[in-house]
Amino acid sequence: MAAFKRVGVVGCGLMGSGIGQVCAQAGIETLVREVDQPTLDKGLGRIRKFLEDGVAKGKVQASDKDKILGNIKGTTKLEDLAPCELVVEAVVENIGAKRDVFSVLDKVVKPDAVLASNTSSLSITEIAATTTHPERVLGLHFFNPVPLMKLVEIIRALPTSDAAFDRAKSFVEQIGKTAVVCKDTPGFVVNRLLVPYLLDAVRLLESGLASREDIDNGMKLGCGYPMGPLTLLDFVGLDTTYYIANIMFEEFRQPHFAPPPLLKRMVLAGYMGRKSGRGFYEYGK
Ligand code: CAA
């Protein structure tokens, strides 16, 4: 199968910038789109910083850093993604925003281009239904931090064609990640298992069974997880996890997907985790 030469990424936030970076690292001409120039500059700055840190850690060659940055271009116009063979959407987790993006992409890209969403919880089938070619729409779900996490979930929507699926699979291989394949259900494989576990950790804390440190150390040292569940919640974002849990609860109506009251109240208080400076732990500015 022919390698991808040009890929587009819509959204250059935490996930979009990581996705853009891994495409550029694979030698792909990558075009990232943000809504305005300051947001785009911030996203591109995040990629630059990650690569500079990589150079400082001895993980990235300085010359490679320049080459990778040279593979990335920014734009504020969705129409500029017209020549891309694959576009990965990574905008805010809101069905309306995603549908808006896909209905424009559907008109501007070539008929054989593949359109992917990085959604972690919304229905790919519903997103695909916005387009006139739903057979080329699927999910490519990346994990944070994208440049370090090796997995991508490939989600087949009901109308996804074998041709689009095969192209997506070869893209995941091209960028050096490992794919797992999943049907279009809330949470796919990883969040379906991860989210109830994270919610249970909040329930343990809420019930006073153990301290935050002991819950985290229990899973880190007892199971070899890289982060304890409360640290991971702070890392992923309490608001993000709350949002995903609600979508899963709405769909499955099973109590283990229901967000515990403490999580809801922390989100209402603005304790979102690392990004807000406070979650289960406190972080410097
Ligand atoms: N450039 C290149 N390499 C880098 C780097 C950089 N800027 N920064 C770090 N690295 C490398 C390090 O050198 C190190 O490499 P080695 O293992 O070869 O030594 C490796 O990456 C790990 O980095 P650190 O040692 O600095 O950090 P760490 O060991 O504390 O690991 C972590 C950090 C990878 C985030 C780890 O804690 C982890 O895996 N945490 C769990 C993350 C997770 O679960 N993510 C998924 C969240 S769920 C999600 O995203 C989906 C959703 O829908 C919500």
Side-chain angles (χ1 to χ4, degrees):
M1 196 166 290
F4 285 88
K5 293 199 176 70
R6 269 190 210 151
V7 166
V9 181
V10 184
C12 198
L14 198 60
M15 298 305 285
S17 60
I19 297 166
Q21 181 183 327
V22 295
C23 293
Q25 280 176 189
I28 300 171
E29 210 179 290
T30 307
L31 191 57
V32 292
R33 181 266 186 183
E34 254 304 348
V35 283
D36 55 38
Q37 198 59 43
T39 318
L40 179 62
D41 291 343
K42 196 173 163 201
L44 295 174
R46 189 181 289 117
I47 299 174
R48 177 179 291 279
K49 164 104 179 44
F50 195 97
L51 292 169
E52 282 168 358
D53 289 351
V55 173
K57 285 175 200 255
K59 291 280 168 169
V60 179
Q61 299 283 330
S63 57
D64 285 346
K65 179 198 80 176
D66 296 334
K67 216 152 118 196
I68 295 163
L69 289 172
N71 287 341
I72 307 177
K73 293 204 169 44
T75 179
T76 55
K77 294 192 198 83
L78 274 178
E79 290 71 17
D80 288 348
L81 303 183
C84 294
E85 300 147 275
L86 166 81
V87 180
V88 185
E89 165 278 314
V91 304
V92 60
E93 198 70 348
N94 171 293
I95 189 70
K98 291 191 189 283
R99 289 178 71 121
D100 288 350
V101 168
F102 275 80
S103 59
V104 176
L105 290 176
D106 186 42
K107 291 188 194 87
V108 300
V109 297
K110 283 178 250 166
D112 60 345
V114 177
L115 299 181
S117 173
N118 178 55
T119 183
S120 51
S121 52
L122 299 170
S123 164
I124 304 295
T125 305
E126 186 175 358
I127 294 170
T130 318
T131 67
T132 53
H133 290 287
E135 70 283 354
R136 52 137 164 217
V137 178
L138 42 73
L140 284 176
H141 183 217
F142 290 78
F143 293 82
N144 180 26
V146 177
L148 302 184
M149 305 306 282
K150 296 184 170 61
L151 185 73
V152 178
E153 290 177 311
I154 308 183
I155 296 98
R156 291 189 82 138
L158 287 185
T160 306
S161 68
D162 288 344
F165 174 78
D166 291 344
R167 291 288 285 146
K169 207 155 164 259
S170 78
F171 166 71
V172 173
E173 281 163 18
Q174 192 180 337
I175 60 172
K177 303 281 188 197
T178 299
V180 298
V181 181
C182 184
K183 288 183 184 161
D184 181 24
T185 48
F188 313 129
V189 171
V190 173
N191 281 335
R192 180 87 173 256
L193 295 172
L194 178 65
V195 170
Y197 155 70
L198 296 178
L199 299 179
D200 272 346
V202 181
R203 285 190 252 274
L204 288 198
L205 185 73
E206 198 172 35
S207 69
L209 185 121
S211 68
R212 60 183 185 182
E213 288 82 5
D214 284 353
I215 292 170
D216 275 352
N217 277 334
M219 296 313 290
K220 247 179 94 170
L221 306 179
C223 295
Y225 287 12
M227 287 175 169
L230 301 172
T231 305
L232 183 55
L233 269 157
D234 280 356
F235 183 72
V236 170
L238 273 62
D239 52 336
T240 306
T241 309
Y242 178 67
Y243 183 82
I244 298 172
N246 272 320
I247 290 187
M248 291 168 83
F249 181 68
E250 235 170 72
E251 182 95 24
F252 299 118
R253 298 281 163 190
Q254 290 167 353
H256 62 289
F257 294 117
L262 175 61
L263 182 65
K264 178 176 177 181
R265 274 148 190 79
M266 289 179 75
V267 172
L268 290 172
Y271 304 165
M272 309 300 186
R274 279 196 198 186
K275 64 184 168 193
S276 72
R278 182 167 179 179
F280 292 99
Y281 297 88
E282 294 76 39
Y283 303 87
K285 282 280 165 202

